[in-house]
Amino acid sequence: MSLAQNIARVQQQIAEQAQACGRNPNDVTLVAVSKFQDVAHIEEAYACGLRDFGESYTQEWKVKAQQLAHLPDIRWHLIGHLQKNKVKDLNDRLFCLQSLDSLALAIEIEKKARFAKKLPVLVQLQIDPNDANKSGIPYADASALCDFVCSSQNLELHGFMGIGPLDKPHELKTLYERFFAEGNTLWQQRQRSMQTNKCVFSLGMSEDMSTAIACGSTMVRVGRAIFGERRRAH
Ligand SMILES: *Cc1c(COP(=O)(O)O)cnc(C)c1O
């Protein structure tokens, strides 16, 4: 299968699942996860019409963003855990930080980063309370983090991100429903201070895309179903 065929197939799956759930397919954004893919493949996906790309590692993202600077309307999303000592690598080329997962990280960005305008962020919520390895802030701590972002000079809250425990397929739906319930509550409590009334819910990867869309996802992050298996493991 060619890259173009993979993209068309994923877009069709998204559209069909959205329609099957009575949702507007345009309400689900496809982010192509390009970690470990070379820039030639990213350019090819861009030529197919994709604009949103997700990277996990700041170093790798920075190099690629520099190499692809001639694509002015490309939208880069950072989706991997960001260590505090990497905050200095953030710059205006970033469209959205999806993995804001602690108050300490938000405070560091507030102190160290300098952006031309506020950086859109998603607060990454810990979906599986029994698996702290999957990064994300516990629901109980998310409120304070959202408050900090809403009063920040550098950050702007755009919604929530989650990584599902793919090894627990039978629990996904229940865990995802909780993710949307908690996210919606956090969002509505701050609605008045928000620039936008649309809350982004970034949830779903190659394997759980359909479940995520059925539960309400507005943004899926798809790597392997578009680019094939990654050459390097992470
Ligand atoms: C790698 C990654 C993805 C994409 O996963 P695939 O299984 O390749 O679709 C999505 N989200 C995050 C946070 C990732 O690290």
Side-chain angles (χ1 to χ4, degrees):
M1 281 266 234
S2 72
L3 185 54
Q5 284 171 319
N6 286 347
I7 292 171
R9 194 193 56 234
V10 168
Q11 285 173 329
Q12 191 185 343
Q13 283 168 349
I14 293 170
E16 282 174 3
Q17 178 66 346
Q19 267 152 4
C21 302
R23 301 185 52 203
N24 183 344
N26 294 329
D27 290 343
V28 184
T29 302
L30 171 59
V31 175
V33 176
S34 50
K35 62 186 177 209
F36 302 144
Q37 307 296 339
D38 49 45
V39 289
H41 283 110
I42 299 176
E43 285 205 86
E44 203 182 328
Y46 179 95
C48 293
L50 296 188
R51 291 296 176 270
D52 293 275
F53 292 87
E55 289 283 339
S56 297
Y57 306 96
T58 42
Q59 246 5 79
E60 183 182 347
W61 161 70
K62 256 187 109 171
V63 173
K64 287 174 171 174
Q66 175 80 48
Q67 289 169 333
L68 294 174
H70 55 284
L71 308 176
D73 58 348
I74 197 166
R75 295 187 286 267
W76 290 110
H77 302 251
L78 264 183
I79 61 175
H81 173 67
L82 181 66
Q83 283 163 347
K84 279 192 284 170
N85 63 3
K86 298 281 165 56
V87 163
K88 60 180 181 336
D89 291 332
L90 300 179
N91 61 40
D92 288 310
R93 288 215 169 98
L94 188 59
F95 177 74
C96 180
L97 173 64
Q98 295 205 4
S99 44
L100 187 69
D101 57 4
S102 74
L103 186 56
L105 176 61
I107 290 171
E108 187 72 6
I109 298 174
E110 186 69 1
K111 263 198 290 195
K112 299 273 168 72
R114 291 292 169 267
F115 304 122
K117 62 170 191 56
K118 286 185 181 182
L119 176 69
V121 297
L122 306 183
V123 165
Q124 183 181 349
L125 299 171
Q126 185 189 321
I127 287 198
D128 182 358
N130 298 317
D131 184 4
N133 291 329
K134 300 250 179 354
S135 42
I137 190 163
Y139 293 126
D141 302 331
S143 196
L145 175 54
C146 291
D147 282 339
F148 183 86
V149 172
C150 287
S151 63
S152 156
Q153 301 302 308
N154 266 336
L155 305 169
E156 195 168 274
L157 186 64
H158 280 228
F160 304 94
M161 189 269 250
I163 301 176
L166 300 182
D167 52 334
K168 299 178 184 168
H170 301 297
E171 294 172 37
L172 279 189
K173 196 165 170 285
T174 310
L175 290 170
Y176 287 179
E177 282 165 0
R178 169 115 196 254
F179 169 78
F180 285 100
E182 300 273 357
N184 269 317
T185 302
L186 289 163
W187 185 261
Q188 273 152 24
Q189 286 165 345
R190 290 160 188 84
Q191 182 79 75
R192 272 178 303 131
S193 62
M194 235 61 103
Q195 306 300 311
T196 160
N197 55 12
K198 271 241 167 117
C199 181
V200 175
F201 285 98
S202 173
L203 184 72
M205 313 191 271
S206 295
E207 275 169 61
D208 62 331
M209 197 174 83
S210 293
T211 311
I213 292 171
C215 293
S217 173
T218 69
M219 184 174 277
V220 290
R221 311 177 304 267
V222 180
R224 288 170 300 150
I226 290 178
F227 294 106
E229 288 300 321
R230 285 179 281 277
R231 257 168 281 145
R232 276 180 290 165
H234 55 283

